[in-house]
Amino acid sequence: MQILEITKEKKGKILVHTDGVDCFPLYEKEADAWGIREGAELSREKWEELCSEILKKRVIRRAMFLLQQMDRTESQLRRKLAEGHYPEELIDEAVAYVESWHYIDDFRYACTYIRCHQAEKSRIQLKLALVKRGVPSELIDRAFEEEYADNEEELIAKLLEKKHYDPEQMDQKEKYKICQFLLRKGFSISKIKRQMDLT
């Protein structure tokens, strides 16, 4: 493959753009040592050697560092590694490596998220948050079976208390506003009505 362009990044880093892989990151000193320059040819053998000696180790270290900072789903980890301009094949290898050591586990992530947030979020809010984080829906369903204690009515009651809900003192307009607020949070109308004493 041919090296089309080299762009400078921060802290002595560069991005090498080729006609084979989209681009990959290196340090300027590494590029000099490997003869990486604009217009040069990068043979398949040299690319594979560069991957095994430098890039593969670097992307795995980056993945480990990101997971030390916080627990992430596979999708979140892939997104963060892609931001570092690592080629997809190297991201696949890094993900396979951390999965092999159980450093990443979407089912465990979903279970932990549900357990930690079900006291303040509705079932729908929890599910949407997990979908947004890239957890597959079958794992979300399994995690709900495992972790979800259906305490939504309790949660509605707490939110009504926070809103100083008083059915005796509030008019229909105020009640409607609170009801809409709870519906937007993803609670079912039947549970809201029960807690608000609406008929």
Side-chain angles (χ1 to χ4, degrees):
M1 61 181 132
Q2 192 178 16
I3 297 162
L4 302 174
E5 187 187 6
I6 293 174
T7 53
K8 290 199 174 198
E9 298 282 292
K10 295 174 187 169
K11 298 178 182 174
K13 283 185 183 175
I14 57 167
L15 277 182
V16 182
H17 303 263
T18 76
D19 61 355
V21 292
D22 196 17
C23 66
F24 58 91
L26 278 180
Y27 285 97
E28 288 182 88
K29 285 180 182 177
E30 292 166 341
D32 290 341
W34 283 77
I36 305 286
R37 61 186 184 280
E38 285 183 7
E41 266 308 307
L42 183 60
S43 68
R44 188 74 205 167
E45 296 75 26
K46 197 171 183 181
W47 165 245
E48 283 170 7
E49 202 181 331
L50 187 64
C51 284
S52 67
E53 287 191 29
I54 296 177
L55 294 173
K56 185 178 171 183
K57 293 171 189 170
R58 187 167 292 151
V59 73
I60 287 172
R61 276 200 308 272
R62 179 72 180 146
M64 298 289 282
F65 172 75
L66 289 166
L67 292 171
Q68 280 174 343
Q69 286 185 315
M70 61 183 273
D71 202 12
R72 295 173 197 269
T73 64
E74 180 183 329
S75 175
Q76 288 174 316
L77 181 62
R78 283 181 179 278
R79 250 193 319 272
K80 287 298 281 182
L81 293 173
E83 284 171 17
H85 302 286
Y86 292 102
E88 203 171 321
E89 63 189 89
L90 292 174
I91 292 174
D92 289 343
E93 289 193 48
V95 168
Y97 177 84
V98 294
E99 275 181 336
S100 74
W101 289 94
H102 303 287
Y103 294 139
I104 195 167
D105 181 332
D106 283 358
F107 176 66
R108 184 188 67 216
Y109 182 97
C111 286
T112 304
Y113 189 88
I114 291 166
R115 192 168 50 249
C116 294
H117 296 282
Q118 64 183 329
E120 76 262 359
K121 291 179 188 280
S122 70
R123 185 184 177 102
I124 288 174
Q125 283 179 310
L126 292 168
K127 188 164 188 166
L128 287 173
L130 289 168
V131 166
K132 193 177 172 185
R133 286 164 171 78
V135 180
S137 58
E138 66 274 10
L139 294 185
I140 295 172
D141 293 340
R142 267 181 52 212
F144 268 112
E145 283 171 28
E146 193 111 343
E147 293 294 337
Y148 191 67
D150 190 0
N151 62 350
E152 286 199 342
E153 294 208 23
E154 211 177 283
L155 185 48
I156 293 168
K158 280 183 192 169
L159 289 166
L160 288 172
E161 202 178 305
K162 266 188 183 175
K163 292 274 183 191
H164 307 292
Y165 177 67
D166 184 349
E168 305 297 318
Q169 302 296 318
M170 288 184 171
D171 62 23
Q172 283 304 110
K173 195 177 175 184
E174 289 172 305
K175 287 179 184 179
Y176 177 78
K177 250 176 102 174
I178 289 174
C179 184
Q180 289 302 305
F181 161 76
L182 293 168
L183 282 169
R184 281 193 302 274
K185 287 207 163 280
F187 298 110
S188 72
I189 190 68
S190 58
K191 289 176 181 176
I192 294 169
K193 279 182 169 181
R194 260 198 305 277
Q195 289 303 310
M196 289 181 74
D197 283 329
L198 300 174
T199 50

